[in-house]
Structures are given as structure tokens and as C-alpha cells.
Amino acid sequence: KQEVTQIPAALSVPEGENLVLNCSFTDSAIYNLQWFRQDPGKGLTSLLLIQSSQREQTSGRLNASLDKSSGRSTLYIAASQPGDSATYLCAGFNFGNEKLTFGTGTRLTIIP
Amino acid sequence: DAGVTQSPTHLIKTRGQQVTLRCSPKSGHDTVSWYQQALGQGPQFIFQYYEEEERQRGNFPDRFSGHQFPNYSSELNVNALLLGDSALYLCASSLVRDYEQYFGPGTRLTVT
């Protein structure tokens, strides 16, 4: 059974700093891992998806990595902006278990 | 290209009542999954529909049921509502052999 953990639950950093969000998972037979952004009371916006055969994906100021052997993924945000304030969720997809297993998220606040 | 849409946006029901939530998938997608997100938690998988059949189910009671129509849209029905059913209900669509999921804005259900 896949379990996903995100630490810390909340993070505050000054604007302009680079930061890393962490995600760990228990089942290394992961097919892909997705990072999502969620604004308060809203749905999920997909940021990056990393296939099991890949090690990282980049989109603009975002870079996500996947290390199956250690059961970890990280989301790197460069030059943070106040508009990056949101909850960030990671979710793993295991082949044969047709669902996403989510962590509880990291609530990120960027201080102007 | 329309993304995933859900209706209604908000809903208030009384304990014991029944509710139906609706979802239209992203254009071209044939698979719909439903998730429940309690406040401060990550989304939990309810079930998935493909070819008008329930393909997989999470750990939710039989009070939760669903349907998929020939046009791939889907409904989530919850009977005998409990206070604990209050949550954000998210619909996600995908292609059956492409596991990247796209989420709708959600329906906020409040049970009083």
C-alpha cells in the first residue's frame, strides 16, 4: 500500500528566495509522481508530472525530481514570488492501482 | 479546449439527505475518478469509472455510488448524508492508458 508524506506541513519564506518542498513515498514501484498546486477552497492545478523512467522535470521556475530508490521527490521553486503562496501536494500513481495517493500537502507562504 | 467542469460549486444539505454531484471530463478523456478532500487533508480516492463501469474503488461505504454516461460525463451520489461527508469533492479525468489526471474546480459540500 502506497503512503505519501510531505514535511513540513507549513513553510514561510521571504520573497526572492529559492526553496525546496519534500515528498516521500513508501512503495518504490511507483509509475509516476505528480505535483499539484491548490489555492484555498479551489481545485488542483497540475504543475509537473515525472514518469518513473525520468529523474526530473522542469517548467519555468519549477523543477521536480524523483528518486525511486530512496522514495523521495522534491519540488524546487526558484526566485519565489508572493503569487506562489498556496498548498503544494504531491501524489504517486502505482501501475495496477489506478488511483493517485496524495500527501497532506505543504502550505507555502511567500512573505513580500 | 474545455477543461474538467463540475457542478454545482457549492451545496448545503441536511443529515440523512441524498446528493448528486456532476462532472464533465476534459475533451477527449474517457476515464473519470472522484476524490474526497476533507479540510486540511490530501484528497482520498473514492472510485474510478471507465466504459460506464466502476473500475476501482477506494475505502468508502456503499452510500457512495456513481455513474458514467456514454458521453463520459459522470455523477457521484451520496445517500444518507453524515456530518463527516462535508468536504470538497474533486473530479479528475484522464485517458485510460495515460495516467496523468486533470482535476476540476471541485464541489464544496456542507452537511448540517
Side-chain angles (χ1 to χ4, degrees), chain A residues 7-111:
Chain A
I7 296 173
L11 182 65
S12 293
V13 300
E15 179 179 2
E17 284 200 1
N18 304 324
L19 60 100
V20 174
L21 304 180
N22 296 300
C23 171
S24 60
F25 48 92
T26 55
D27 187 348
S28 61
I30 197 166
Y31 185 75
N32 65 41
L33 188 133
Q34 259 182 289
W35 281 92
F36 295 90
R37 169 187 172 135
Q38 185 173 36
D39 293 295
K42 305 296 184 182
L44 305 181
T45 300
S46 180
L47 298 173
L48 290 164
L49 179 145
I50 312 174
Q51 302 281 5
S52 60
S53 58
Q54 301 171 322
R55 292 191 62 84
E56 64 179 68
Q57 282 285 342
T58 298
S59 176
R61 294 183 294 108
L62 306 179
N63 176 277
S65 67
L66 176 64
D67 184 343
K68 290 177 57 179
S69 61
S70 67
R72 294 189 176 190
S73 176
T74 60
L75 178 66
Y76 175 84
I77 302 177
S80 58
Q81 303 171 358
D84 295 331
S85 297
T87 295
Y88 290 80
L89 293 148
C90 68
F93 191 102
N94 284 63
F95 188 71
N97 187 15
E98 307 289 330
K99 66 175 185 178
L100 284 170
T101 301
F102 283 86
T104 52
T106 295
R107 189 174 71 252
L108 177 64
T109 302
I110 306 300
I111 304 166

Side-chain angles (χ1 to χ4, degrees), chain B:
Chain B
D1 179 22
V4 180
T5 60
Q6 293 186 242
S7 63
T9 304
H10 296 92
L11 205 51
I12 300 174
K13 290 287 188 178
T14 304
R15 275 179 300 175
Q17 287 189 315
Q18 178 263 345
V19 68
T20 297
L21 310 181
R22 296 177 176 83
C23 172
S24 291
K26 180 178 169 66
S27 178
H29 284 182
D30 55 10
T31 303
V32 173
S33 302
W34 287 92
Y35 293 80
Q36 179 196 66
Q37 186 179 24
L39 198 63
Q41 301 296 314
Q44 298 292 316
F45 176 76
I46 302 174
F47 43 53
Q48 182 183 82
Y49 276 85
Y50 171 66
E51 291 189 336
E52 302 180 49
E53 292 190 357
E54 184 181 292
R55 194 157 172 247
Q56 187 168 354
R57 189 179 184 91
N59 188 26
F60 279 79
D62 291 344
R63 299 187 297 109
F64 289 77
S65 64
H67 188 77
Q68 185 180 34
F69 299 93
N71 67 353
Y72 307 119
S73 67
S74 177
E75 289 182 348
L76 164 65
N77 301 292
V78 186
N79 295 322
L81 285 167
L82 304 174
L83 294 179
D85 295 331
S86 296
L88 181 67
Y89 288 83
L90 297 163
C91 169
S93 74
S94 60
L95 285 169
V96 69
R97 304 227 181 281
D98 178 2
Y99 304 108
E100 183 170 9
Q101 298 196 7
Y102 294 79
F103 282 79
T107 293
R108 169 71 63 186
L109 173 65
T110 302
V111 182
T112 62

